[in-house]
Amino acid sequence: MRQTERHVPVGDTRLYVVERGEGFPVLVLHGGPGLDHTMFADYLDPLTDSYRLVLVDQRSQGRSDETPPETWTLSRMSADVSALAAALGVEHGYAVLGHSYGAMVALQHAVDHSGEPAGTIVSSGLPHQRWLDTIGERLAAFEPEELREQVTASWDEEPETRDREHLVSILARQMPWHFADPRDPRIAEYNDRTSGLVGSAGVLRHMAAHGYGGIDVEDALPSVEHPVLVLAGRHDRTCPVDAAEIVADGIPGAELAIFEHSGHMTFVEEQADYLQIVRDFLDRVRR
């Protein structure tokens, strides 16, 4: 499999990208905020037989250059996606896949730059802040009870994230929350496969203290003019299925796929089905 790594200038900064495979380009946006492209490990790599995956470390995250905190906004990260496509010379034909916080950036991009990408995949995302505002209520009911304190503490510590080691600790302790089965043996495997995480403690600290950027595109969804695929885990505690349904209902012609045995980590928990649904969508939009 062909792989290249480089920094790409996009306006006021440079984004670090890892490109795997050849073919129709797919810009892949990681979650967090504060993580980096390594959160996907090699789970998406089977797509590289037909697609050029461009895994992006978003603004000020991972190995990308640092920028001032006032630029850490969803609208600016959305603009970075278009700027990156132009810098790569693919602005006339590409797709976007964003997962978790990356899905919110992808959704913001779909609204702000409607009709520009050939397709957008919103994987475990939200159209509005209100679901994040009620996470405390869901934490209070989290089972098993013996993991509740650990998971709750991990969320509480996000606004005080100190450094990379602390960020990695927060993510590891929070991971049971993100799987349908909080004791899923694949959690340890996932942590091992993503051990190269660099991330950005400063971005997570800042965004957690400021409402994670205040995602709010629900009313603008009908303006999206290009194909959109919405993916959701039935047991997702962070981005519930009803949020995905609102996105799919709001965007004309959008498709919705629900993974019945997954939580937030759909591309891990039901990898084969996830890849097939993504591949089918990309096969259609690239034509």
Side-chain angles (χ1 to χ4, degrees):
M1 177 182 62
R2 175 179 176 269
Q3 174 169 310
T4 61
E5 305 175 24
R6 56 177 165 149
H7 283 90
V8 179
V10 289
D12 66 327
T13 190
R14 296 186 311 161
L15 300 181
Y16 182 81
V17 302
V18 173
E19 299 179 69
R20 297 177 185 161
E22 299 183 47
F24 187 82
V26 183
L27 308 189
V28 182
L29 309 178
H30 62 78
L35 304 184
D36 63 31
H37 76 278
T38 60
M39 70 158 285
F40 292 106
D42 56 356
Y43 290 96
L44 303 182
D45 284 2
L47 296 171
T48 61
D49 61 355
S50 302
Y51 293 96
R52 171 185 172 192
L53 299 184
V54 183
L55 295 106
V56 185
D57 283 1
Q58 296 185 72
R59 173 173 291 261
S60 281
Q61 297 165 76
R63 296 162 180 83
S64 291
D65 291 352
E66 293 188 12
T67 57
E70 57 266 26
T71 71
W72 302 347
T73 65
L74 282 163
S75 61
R76 195 64 172 270
M77 294 179 191
S78 160
D80 287 344
V81 175
S82 290
L84 177 60
L88 295 173
V90 302
E91 67 268 37
H92 301 299
Y94 70 97
V96 178
L97 186 161
H99 182 80
S100 192
Y101 196 77
M104 299 174 208
V105 176
L107 192 54
Q108 186 75 52
H109 180 260
V111 168
D112 293 347
H113 302 270
S114 177
E116 180 183 306
T120 295
I121 300 171
V122 179
S123 176
S124 301
L126 297 170
H128 195 277
Q129 176 72 25
R130 65 179 179 275
W131 281 277
L132 295 177
D133 292 339
T134 57
I135 278 182
E137 299 171 14
R138 298 193 290 280
L139 282 167
F142 177 62
E143 298 289 346
E145 188 174 353
E146 58 267 25
L147 290 176
R148 187 180 302 159
E149 182 177 352
Q150 165 190 312
V151 169
T152 301
S154 73
W155 280 96
D156 289 344
E157 290 173 29
E158 287 191 358
E160 307 297 331
T161 309
R162 297 185 299 273
D163 50 30
R164 176 193 178 275
E165 289 70 26
H166 191 202
L167 185 152
V168 170
S169 170
I170 288 172
L171 182 63
R173 287 180 285 128
Q174 194 174 104
M175 199 52 65
W177 168 266
H178 296 302
F179 277 69
D181 176 4
R183 296 193 179 93
D184 194 318
R186 291 172 296 182
I187 294 174
E189 178 190 356
Y190 176 77
N191 289 337
D192 286 342
R193 290 168 73 169
T194 57
S195 60
L197 175 73
V198 174
S200 172
V203 170
L204 177 56
R205 181 172 62 246
H206 175 85
M207 299 295 273
H210 295 86
Y212 299 97
I215 180 72
D216 183 7
V217 296
E218 192 170 342
D219 292 342
L221 295 175
S223 69
V224 178
E225 298 177 347
H226 60 270
V228 174
L229 171 64
V230 183
L231 305 176
R234 176 66 69 186
H235 308 285
D236 194 330
R237 302 173 182 89
T238 304
C239 301
V241 168
D242 59 338
E245 291 171 340
I246 286 173
V247 175
D249 289 344
I251 297 175
E255 303 173 37
L256 173 64
I258 298 174
F259 297 90
E260 296 295 338
H261 307 291
S262 292
H264 193 63
M265 302 300 288
T266 46
F267 66 92
V268 178
E269 295 172 275
E270 295 184 67
Q271 183 190 17
D273 289 345
Y274 184 98
L275 293 175
Q276 189 60 57
I277 290 169
V278 167
R279 185 186 295 276
D280 290 346
F281 176 76
L282 292 174
D283 287 348
R284 292 194 300 275
V285 302
R286 71 173 177 176
R287 291 196 292 266

